Amino acid sequence: RDIDASPLGIPAGLTPYLDLPRELPLQVLLPDLPAVRLSTGGAVISGAAYDAIDADMVDMETFAVARACMTHGVPLAGLRGVSDGAADLNHMDDWQAYLHIIDEKLAAVVDRILAAAAN
């Protein structure tokens, strides 16, 4: 999202020298799990900065993990938990406040995925 190699003639938002589109579809694991558009980049986004991003969520890791999986032919499904929101992050405690809840919810989804795979 925040890469800008436009001085090299590469449209903003595209990673130079990769033949990949701006958006990569990820597998839907369970039909009732919400599917969102995830924007990845190198900047921490909080508060009003979300308004400028054309996606439902942002993170810093998923693109790197997706590239590693593509390189090695490993399938990827992304599960992300939202740890921030409309308010600006002002301190590490702001970011950590909901991590225990996110962990519990992600663990429940992993359990459902494993149960579905067993069936």
Side-chain angles (χ1 to χ4, degrees):
R1 133 187 52 85
D2 54 8
I3 191 165
D4 186 357
S6 56
L8 303 174
I10 299 166
L14 292 180
T15 303
Y17 311 112
L18 290 181
D19 188 21
L20 293 174
R22 288 180 63 107
E23 294 192 17
L24 300 175
L26 296 179
Q27 176 184 4
V28 175
L29 298 176
L30 297 171
D32 62 329
L33 283 181
V36 300
R37 291 176 56 240
L38 176 65
S39 177
T40 189
V44 173
I45 303 297
S46 70
Y50 277 108
D51 297 341
I53 296 172
D54 181 24
D56 301 304
M57 296 173 65
V58 299
D59 85 330
M60 300 175 84
E61 302 84 16
T62 301
F63 183 75
V65 173
R67 287 285 297 130
C69 289
M70 285 186 256
T71 299
H72 298 286
V74 176
L76 168 71
L79 296 175
R80 305 303 297 173
V82 178
S83 59
D84 51 355
D88 285 326
L89 293 175
N90 295 306
H91 190 270
M92 183 66 84
D93 292 343
D94 295 340
W95 178 73
Q96 294 174 329
Y98 299 104
L99 294 182
H100 67 287
I101 296 169
I102 293 165
D103 288 347
E104 292 170 11
K105 289 184 176 192
L106 287 174
V109 170
V110 169
D111 288 344
R112 289 181 50 213
I113 292 167
L114 292 174
N119 292 331

